[in-house]
Amino acid sequence: MTETAQRPTLEAVAARAGVSRATVSRVVNGAHGVREELAERVRRAVDELGYVPNQAARSLVTRRHDAVAVVAAEPETRVFTDPYFAQQLRGISKELTAHDSQLVLLLTEGREDHARVGRYLAGGHVDGALVFSLHLDDPLPGLVRRAGVPTVFGGRPHWDDDRDDVVYVDSDNRGGAREAVRHLAALGRTRVAHIAGPLDQTSAVDRLAGFRDVRTDAGAAPVAHGDFTPGGGERAMRELLDRCPDLDAVFAANDLTAAGALRVLRERGRRVPDDVAVVGFDDMLSVAEQTDPPLTTVRQDIEGMGRLMARLLLRGLDRGPDGAEGGDADAVAREHGAGAVPDAKSGLILPTTLVRRASA
């Protein structure tokens, strides 16, 4: 039987460094007030002995768990197959890793899951939460609020209760949609249709609004409803072709929807872009560059959104018990650059750009 090696203790580090146990505790827990010479001796002893702080004991001192809950209001089948979520989680993970925080992924599919997530957040296991892909009437915001954990949301919140402490990161969905439809109009397309996303999510609502901003004949402009999936794009495209066989352009609410639409257009013998031009939204390279033809689309910085969500939360945690506030959004926007703009409340809006490829 292999004998288990005894873990180095705080006392062992103190003996190796020639300092008190209290000094070691202050150094490993990031407290101030230790001379640099002594702090360096402690850090050297920690490395030599391979000392790992006891997280439970450390939390008692720092009041921090170095863990953040990432709550996706989607079933696991969607989160693990949609590349959008992979990109956003990658951005979150990179930022948390850079700050030595752990990512705890929580998914919701039914009411039982919501109750479980609410209990976990209220149980004091994490320092804060990042919540995204909310749907209309989703109970998660209320659960998070009752749990009392600092929270940053991914996407513009759909509720409007005049609260100014709701911190979020989003893309300029409405402006990006306007740019897409204007591009189609500049190509001379006059019978432009839209495949909308699920209208219980604000990103889809904003993209539909952007489409209607440009299509002043909004009442007559054909719209079909998808669900941000290729299958939803296929069903909506068939519906549009049956209703409006003479359409000459389609703006799809996301790249996966556009991919499904392209398959149906090919099946129906419509040439892209000769007969029908197609524009998507997201610029997920694993989708947009692999469609036939490659997809013209609106690029949003999905990974950057994840990083900014995590950065806003961590900045708020570092400020103390008040959590993230609007002033943090201003500071993070300046640090991020690339056109990030604080909105009227406590959020950040990232710009979008049109990427032209062969489909339009």
Side-chain angles (χ1 to χ4, degrees), residues 174 177-194 207-223 244 246-251:
R174 189 165 185 165
R178 285 196 293 259
E179 187 175 7
V181 182
R182 285 171 181 150
H183 172 66
L184 292 169
L187 295 176
R189 308 297 169 131
T190 58
R191 297 177 298 280
V192 182
H194 177 46
R207 292 170 198 179
L208 175 58
F211 170 77
R212 287 175 169 164
D213 287 342
V214 180
R215 297 297 300 176
T216 54
D217 57 340
V223 174
C244 310
D246 61 342
L247 64 82
D248 61 6
V250 176
F251 166 50

Side-chain angles (χ1 to χ4, degrees), residues 134-157:
L134 287 173
H135 297 258
L136 191 66
D137 298 328
D138 200 308
L140 276 174
L143 291 172
V144 170
R145 190 172 297 171
R146 287 193 292 275
V149 294
T151 303
V152 175
F153 293 94
R156 179 178 64 82

Side-chain angles (χ1 to χ4, degrees), residues 5-16:
Q6 186 175 3
R7 293 177 58 184
T9 63
L10 208 64
E11 289 78 9
V13 175
R16 174 67 68 94

